[in-house]
Amino acid sequence: MLFSVQVEVTLRQGVADPQGATIERSLPHLGFDGVKGVRVGKSIRFDLEAADEASARAEVEDLTQRFLTNPVIEDSTISIVAGANA
Amino acid sequence: MAPRIGVVLFPGSNCEFDSLEAVRALGGEGEILWHGDATTNGVDAVIVPGGFAHGDYLRPGAIARFSPVMSAVTEFARSGGPVVGICNGFQVLTEAGLLPGALQKNAGLKFVCTTVELRVDSTNSALTSEANLGDVLRVPINHFEGNYTCSAETLASLQANDQIVLRYVDNPNGSVDDIAGICNEGRNVVGLMPHPERAISDLLGSADGVVLLRSLLASASVSV
């Protein structure tokens, strides 16, 4: 089965996010007030061939832990749906 | 016999020739270790130099860690061989699991390019054995992601085991506990953000990197 996978990588809580902080500080200059808690991360998408959703998830969790993120400073959110990415 | 120092060259490294020059100026033999070859070629010590290995894609060091040479460097380090990672090389060694912790973006989102003062806080490592405790060295830094961080437990064990070998006198990037350089538990693997290879002559503004690289050459001679 083909699964479309999206891994969102974010900095862990407590890890400095200077990009997010800079964006947050800049928004009021454009007149956008009240924006708080800006965090910058990255989104990684791919298609994965696997026997079923459980084995797809196990594989994605493994490669996310070992490669896509550095667990010392980053967290991840994984979403997996059947079918190819558009 | 002069110790042979291998300098790893990844696509995107840019301090490999400075490192070779520094090693040769101090009486060592220097040679390039191409990242695609899974060997350290029998050298006595390894420098993982600064730059942007593999473009720093994904994260600094994340791809470099899988280069064939890194399996050989890891084996060399595990058998006690001296390995020093400078700047991007430090990031590669943390990603490869040879040193604990990680380097995050500098506090204040600033690329820092200046000469800083480092205090030698341990002389028990492959890069600091020839220095004196408390020495203050003037060495250039040049990085965007040099803000060292690690878990509270890791920091406590680094402190307890005397693994923080160099600290910034005036912290330029937000590193926890002013950390500029650390070593592993075996003390043969050292990572630091500052560039000792750029401080080997008064003509370059400072010769304070010499004592660090001399330490590496001395460690290399011992391990021969």
Side-chain angles (χ1 to χ4, degrees):
Chain A
M1 277 181 78
L2 196 61
F3 295 92
S4 72
V5 180
Q6 183 177 350
V7 180
E8 193 190 334
V9 181
T10 50
L11 290 165
R12 283 179 60 173
Q13 211 60 38
V15 171
D17 180 1
Q19 293 186 92
T22 303
I23 292 169
E24 190 168 322
R25 274 201 312 276
S26 303
L27 284 167
H29 296 298
L30 281 172
F32 295 103
D33 293 314
V35 177
K36 286 198 168 52
V38 177
R39 304 285 283 170
V40 174
K42 52 195 156 194
S43 172
I44 301 165
R45 292 165 183 249
F46 52 93
D47 296 333
L48 176 70
E49 189 69 51
D52 52 41
E53 186 166 340
S55 59
R57 184 163 292 278
E59 187 159 346
V60 173
E61 281 175 358
D62 190 26
L63 70 86
T64 297
Q65 196 71 12
R66 285 167 56 193
F67 184 37
L68 297 186
T69 66
N70 180 337
V72 178
I73 51 174
E74 293 170 328
D75 276 332
S76 58
T77 313
I78 293 167
S79 81
I80 297 178
V81 291
N85 271 305
Chain B
M1 228 174 67
R4 286 173 57 219
I5 313 296
V7 179
V8 176
L9 175 57
F10 297 104
S13 297
N14 62 18
C15 298
E16 69 279 11
F17 291 117
D18 306 52
S19 301
L20 281 180
E21 278 302 316
V23 162
R24 289 169 182 159
L26 298 177
E29 281 180 29
E31 64 187 73
I32 291 289
L33 300 174
W34 176 240
H35 86 105
D37 298 331
T39 174
T40 54
N41 247 345
V43 296
D44 306 311
V46 172
I47 294 177
V48 186
F52 299 85
H54 296 275
D56 276 358
Y57 290 169
L58 193 59
R59 294 180 305 280
I63 315 279
R65 168 192 159 199
F66 295 108
S67 275
V69 74
M70 285 310 296
S71 55
V73 169
T74 300
E75 197 178 316
F76 179 75
R78 299 249 189 263
S79 68
V83 176
V84 169
I86 300 169
C87 198
N88 190 229
F90 186 11
Q91 296 162 339
V92 172
L93 295 182
T94 60
E95 284 283 342
L98 289 172
L99 288 170
L103 284 312
Q104 57 174 330
K105 288 187 177 61
N106 296 341
L109 197 63
K110 281 196 172 65
F111 188 99
V112 288
C113 179
T114 184
T115 296
V116 296
E117 289 185 337
L118 307 175
R119 191 180 60 244
V120 178
D121 277 345
S122 172
T123 55
N124 187 7
S125 84
L127 193 68
T128 54
S129 57
E130 306 276 298
N132 296 307
L133 206 59
D135 275 355
V136 172
L137 310 175
R138 292 183 63 251
V139 180
I141 55 171
N142 185 231
H143 60 248
F144 184 55
E145 288 171 297
N147 177 352
Y148 182 83
T149 186
C150 60
S151 68
E153 303 81 70
T154 300
L155 180 61
S157 90
L158 288 174
Q159 291 164 337
N161 295 330
D162 194 29
Q163 286 173 255
I164 302 168
V165 297
L166 295 165
R167 281 191 175 86
Y168 298 110
V169 172
D170 185 11
N171 193 334
N173 57 23
S175 284
V176 65
D177 199 15
D178 301 330
I179 287 175
I182 58 169
C183 68
N184 66 343
E185 286 185 26
R187 321 203 76 88
N188 60 311
V189 180
V190 182
L192 75 168
M193 290 311 296
H195 287 272
E197 81 283 10
R198 295 185 192 171
I200 58 152
S201 159
D202 288 331
L203 283 174
L204 299 173
S206 170
D208 289 355
V210 167
V211 69
L212 299 176
L213 294 172
R214 270 203 204 296
S215 303
L216 178 65
L217 293 179
S219 314
S221 303
V222 169
S223 76
V224 171

